[in-house]
Amino acid sequence: MVKVDAAGESSLINVRDLDKTYRRGEEEIDVLQGLNLDVRQGEFVAFMGPSGSGKTTLLNLLGGLDVPTRGSITVSGDEITHMSAGKLTEWRARHVGFIFQTYNLIPVLNAFQNVELPLLLTKLSKAERRDHVEAALSVVGLADRMKHFPRQLSGGQEQRVAIARAIVADPTFLLCDEPTGDLDRKRADEIMTLMEELVAKYHKTILMVTHDPLVAARAHTILHLDKGVLVEARQASQDTLAGGVA
Amino acid sequence: MKFGGLIFANLLRKKIRLLLTIGSFAVALFLFAFLGVVRDAFNRGADVAGADRLVTINRTSIINPIPLSYRDQILRIPGVKYITHNNWFGGVYKDEKNFFPQFVIDSDNQRQVFPEFSIPDDQWNKFLKDREGAIVGARTMERFHWNIGDRIPIKTTLYGGGSWEFNIDGVYHGKRAQDDETQFWFQWDYFEERIPERLKGLIGWYVLRVNNPDESPRIAKAIDEKFANSPYETKTETESAFAAGWVKQFGNIRFLIVTIGSVVFFTLLLVTGNTMAISVRERTGELAVLKAIGFSDWSVLFFVLGESLVIALVGGLLGLILAIVAIPVLANALNGMLPNLILSPALLAFGLFSALLVGIVSGILPGVGAMRMRVVNALRRV
Ligand SMILES: Nc1ncnc2c1ncn2[C@@H]1O[C@H](COP(=O)(O)OP(=O)(O)OP(=O)(O)O)[C@@H](O)[C@H]1O
Ligand SMILES: [Mg+2]
């Protein structure tokens, strides 16, 4: 389980005293203030919180897309907060799989080619790449849609392709920013079932942002982002969930 | 090239736009090639010119004549090897639009002075014996579908006017691609016999060959000094200087062509640059996703440049192929008004190089923008 504010030696991801301050002209916005987080290999964590609370900001920092104002992020022993931009890019390619709310597939590439993209950065041969792509598309249940372009797929299918793209290079962890935000209940449930399977069957580590309590409930842990820090909120979310359903 | 697929897919994103951009390259390169051959044609005088040849004209202008009697005096100047004299006949075949250059030649010396033109000896010997004979360049023969043995009328408004008839005794070919194969030569004796009395004994200009090109300045000076203060003062210069002066008569063609060519390429640059900028801007989000996945900033630049280079290469090659096919046709349509239009490999290579340069420059600004773009900001906008 996640040990917030604890030095987790066995943790995969350690976040310590993380600050992120945006500057908009004269004004300074302190989004994250001394945030701590530990995530173990194989955990499935959901982040919740009101709009503007800094969830996307946190994911961007964890994914090495942005740098914190203060504090450190360590992933399997590598401190990413001090890496150069070039190193960080290489690190992302090896360790992070991104899943976005709007899928963000490349419209001019078909499902196969979209999933293949991260593999183009590896030394794999063409045949090896094909094997990996086919395996990833099988995991998400779209082995028969390889030649389809994004516009020929439903939203749920597009998100599955995006998930295949995120897992194809076998990253250390997945970062999902509202992965079901654009989907209806049924498709959202299907995507969450797939995510659970990735964790249970393939031992993936997933960090996910969501506004949807039902979606969050599928995670092992729900953390609330509140005034720049994370608060464990498993119980709270179940209350919300019960209240929401009633 | 595992990234080829990505570049190719991006190119085909907007097919009409791709076609239009490639089309602008093709048109620009065609225009470039055409302007280039015209410029080369006007500049060719200098290439054609023999290093060891001098031209002596009337100091006032080339249209003023000089006496035939100068011939022997010039020949006596040390270093002069051969001399021939020519007149401009200024005639047309049947119609004004059938213009081509006719020269009255000194048949005893013409071949020694212009060794680059080759004529079979039997044809030349026949010509020497035929008072009304003519030797015609291969291109002019082709243009009017003439054959050896034909009797051809040429109308002139000079030398008393009228229609003169000639027998085509032979055809000459240039030994090099740039040699002019449009001329029509006929005999001095026939010419002098028919022209008005007051014009007899006057020739248009002399062309001479010297033993040593290094001595040309001295010889030219000696000739002009010899006839200074006579009623027919002369001006002698090397053939290439003469050719350059001849081109100047048409105004500053070189400047005009270079200017038009530059404007064409500059416009092309703006058009392609704009297209690339739009094309990159409308997929900022996709490029950001590529970067998030782990593509480096440099590879993003490389994708954008790759696209603009492929467009430049395909468009450029199309334009040059069009030029290779169309310029001979155009040259024919222009009815030999211009000298040989030759599309040289150097011109083609320079065209392609310029196209690729435009491709790089037009891709570099949007490419660097894409390179610098920050993923987090771009993704927020998606
Ligand atoms: N580049 C930026 N410059 C200035 N302020 C920013 C920037 N990016 C984010 N912010 C601000 O930081 C705060 C947190 O933004 P963030 O996108 O992380 O929120 P969020 O929790 O993901 O919200 P949502 O649920 O709406 O996605 C917001 O107040 C936002 O306006
Ligand atoms: Mg957000």
Side-chain angles (χ1 to χ4, degrees):
Chain A
M1 295 302 292
V2 175
K3 292 172 285 167
V4 178
D5 290 341
E9 269 133 53
S10 60
S11 295
L12 180 72
I13 303 171
N14 299 298
V15 178
R16 286 292 164 268
D17 301 324
L18 199 67
D19 285 7
K20 181 68 185 180
T21 304
Y22 288 113
R23 193 179 283 278
R24 204 184 282 140
E26 291 292 284
E27 193 188 359
E28 287 199 344
I29 312 160
D30 298 316
V31 180
L32 305 179
Q33 292 172 287
L35 182 142
N36 291 297
L37 170 69
D38 292 274
V39 180
R40 276 207 303 260
Q41 159 72 39
E43 287 222 37
F44 185 1
V45 182
F47 298 115
M48 298 191 76
S51 185
S53 56
K55 304 181 296 295
T56 299
T57 302
L58 176 60
L59 283 200
N60 286 343
L61 293 173
L62 289 171
L65 292 175
D66 205 353
V67 287
T69 314
R70 262 181 306 279
S72 70
I73 299 170
T74 313
V75 179
S76 29
D78 296 330
E79 176 158 1
I80 64 166
T81 26
H82 289 120
M83 286 184 183
S84 69
K87 270 269 176 303
L88 209 49
T89 305
E90 283 173 30
W91 176 83
R92 277 205 305 274
R94 208 137 29 86
H95 295 286
V96 194
F98 287 97
I99 297 166
F100 307 94
Q101 177 176 355
T102 50
Y103 329 129
N104 284 349
L105 298 177
I106 309 290
V108 293
L109 300 180
N110 64 28
F112 181 98
Q113 293 167 318
N114 265 289
V115 176
E116 193 188 18
L117 281 174
L119 298 181
L120 296 179
L121 297 166
T122 66
K123 290 196 167 67
L124 295 180
S125 72
K126 201 176 163 138
E128 289 168 326
R129 294 205 299 270
R130 194 193 320 113
D131 292 345
H132 281 71
V133 172
E134 286 174 2
L137 280 167
S138 301
V139 168
V140 301
L142 286 177
D144 55 341
R145 294 284 195 283
M146 282 194 288
K147 294 278 174 266
H148 286 234
F149 285 89
R151 63 169 186 284
Q152 300 166 324
L153 297 168
S154 72
Q157 288 172 331
E158 279 196 71
Q159 192 60 299
R160 285 162 181 276
V161 173
I163 292 172
R165 181 176 68 186
I167 61 172
V168 73
D170 194 23
T172 308
F173 62 106
L174 300 181
L175 292 176
C176 323
D177 198 346
E178 300 185 39
T180 60
D182 278 13
L183 299 175
D184 61 25
R185 181 85 272 144
K186 189 163 179 304
R187 303 308 140 205
D189 282 342
E190 285 170 11
I191 293 293
M192 290 323 296
T193 304
L194 177 57
M195 298 266 218
E196 281 178 339
E197 192 182 313
L198 292 178
V199 176
K201 210 161 137 192
Y202 300 97
H203 312 293
K204 299 286 172 204
T205 307
I206 300 182
L207 291 90
M208 172 181 73
V209 164
T210 183
H211 279 119
D212 183 343
L214 285 172
V215 165
R218 310 285 284 262
H220 298 154
T221 312
I222 301 175
L223 298 175
H224 267 272
L225 195 51
D226 190 17
K227 299 190 187 73
V229 294
L230 286 167
V231 196
E232 191 153 9
R234 179 88 223 179
Q235 219 42 52
S237 82
Q238 273 172 346
D239 294 347
T240 323
L241 183 61
V245 170
Chain B
M1 258 296 284
K2 55 186 174 183
F3 299 119
L6 189 56
I7 293 177
F8 192 66
N10 274 322
L11 276 169
L12 294 179
R13 176 180 298 256
K14 296 260 163 82
K15 296 194 181 60
I16 306 258
R17 181 167 68 193
L18 176 71
L19 283 180
L20 290 176
T21 319
I22 287 182
S24 5
F25 266 96
V27 169
L29 264 282
F30 173 73
L31 205 57
F32 164 84
F34 184 66
L35 291 171
V37 291
V38 171
R39 196 198 68 141
D40 282 359
F42 275 100
N43 280 357
R44 184 140 328 108
D47 305 349
V48 175
D52 60 350
R53 277 201 294 252
L54 296 178
V55 179
T56 301
I57 64 173
N58 186 299
R59 194 182 159 88
T60 313
S61 101
I62 180 137
I63 61 169
N64 295 63
I66 35 180
L68 181 59
S69 58
Y70 284 8
R71 193 192 108 90
D72 295 332
Q73 302 183 55
I74 292 173
L75 212 46
R76 272 200 296 276
I77 292 173
V80 176
K81 196 153 107 193
Y82 302 110
I83 181 165
T84 185
H85 54 85
N86 296 142
N87 288 62
W88 177 254
F89 189 59
V92 296
Y93 174 56
K94 288 184 180 162
D95 202 328
E96 289 298 330
K97 73 178 197 300
N98 292 332
F99 166 83
F100 59 102
Q102 305 99 31
F103 296 122
V104 184
I105 65 160
D106 163 15
S107 51
D108 292 337
N109 299 292
Q110 190 80 2
R111 288 218 293 179
Q112 285 83 328
V113 176
F114 293 98
E116 68 264 37
F117 298 125
S118 65
I119 306 137
D121 282 338
D122 56 326
Q123 294 179 11
W124 184 255
N125 291 333
K126 182 148 181 275
F127 167 68
L128 290 182
K129 284 187 227 111
D130 182 2
R131 271 184 94 66
E132 300 180 5
I135 297 288
V136 185
R139 270 187 77 202
T140 295
M141 289 294 280
E142 212 174 295
R143 179 173 163 202
F144 299 120
H145 310 290
W146 290 342
N147 294 302
I148 291 180
D150 286 357
R151 192 161 169 84
I152 301 297
I154 304 286
K155 279 188 292 192
T156 182
T157 50
L158 308 174
Y159 313 109
S163 181
W164 296 40
E165 297 220 338
F166 302 93
N167 308 313
I168 299 180
D169 291 328
V171 179
Y172 80 80
H173 288 268
K175 289 180 182 158
R176 301 162 305 180
Q178 67 265 35
D179 290 328
D180 178 15
E181 290 184 347
T182 65
Q183 303 171 14
F184 179 105
W185 305 335
F186 65 95
Q187 307 252 28
W188 167 256
D189 293 346
Y190 178 42
F191 174 75
E192 199 183 26
E193 176 190 287
R194 279 192 61 165
I195 57 177
E197 198 61 37
R198 64 186 162 84
L199 297 176
K200 288 190 204 291
L202 293 173
I203 60 99
W205 61 88
Y206 290 105
V207 184
L208 41 131
R209 269 176 84 187
V210 298
N211 287 319
N212 178 0
D214 295 341
E215 289 189 322
S216 295
R218 175 186 62 76
I219 295 170
K221 201 160 164 246
I223 294 170
D224 293 346
E225 274 170 5
K226 187 181 241 12
F227 305 115
N229 303 318
S230 79
Y232 298 96
E233 294 196 331
T234 61
K235 183 168 113 190
T236 303
E237 42 190 7
T238 60
E239 193 177 33
S240 54
F242 174 76
W246 181 254
V247 172
K248 279 213 191 89
Q249 289 194 330
F250 301 97
N252 201 337
I253 291 217
R254 195 190 145 82
F255 174 76
L256 196 69
I257 285 180
V258 168
T259 307
I260 297 174
S262 311
V263 168
V264 166
F265 270 107
F266 189 66
T267 312
L268 183 64
L269 186 67
L270 296 183
V271 168
T272 332
N274 186 41
T275 308
M276 286 310 295
I278 292 171
S279 149
V280 168
R281 196 177 321 127
E282 69 193 11
R283 64 187 138 111
T284 308
E286 289 172 37
L287 293 169
V289 169
L290 287 182
K291 286 190 179 190
I293 286 175
F295 283 84
S296 67
D297 292 349
W298 287 106
S299 60
V300 169
L301 174 68
F302 165 81
F303 290 148
V304 175
L305 281 184
E307 276 177 49
S308 59
L309 271 177
V310 169
I311 292 174
L313 184 69
V314 173
L317 284 177
L318 274 179
L320 294 178
I321 289 170
L322 187 67
I324 291 169
V325 174
I327 282 177
V329 179
L330 267 170
N332 271 343
L334 285 173
N335 262 339
M337 268 161 28
L338 289 169
N340 307 6
L341 296 181
I342 302 163
L343 204 47
S344 66
L347 188 68
L348 291 175
F350 182 67
L352 199 59
F353 169 80
S354 311
L356 293 180
L357 195 68
V358 170
I360 290 181
V361 174
S362 61
I364 209 120
L365 267 172
V368 167
M371 194 177 163
R372 292 232 182 107
M373 165 259 288
R374 294 198 55 223
V375 181
V376 283
N377 296 339
L379 285 180
R380 269 181 203 283
R381 272 187 272 134
V382 170

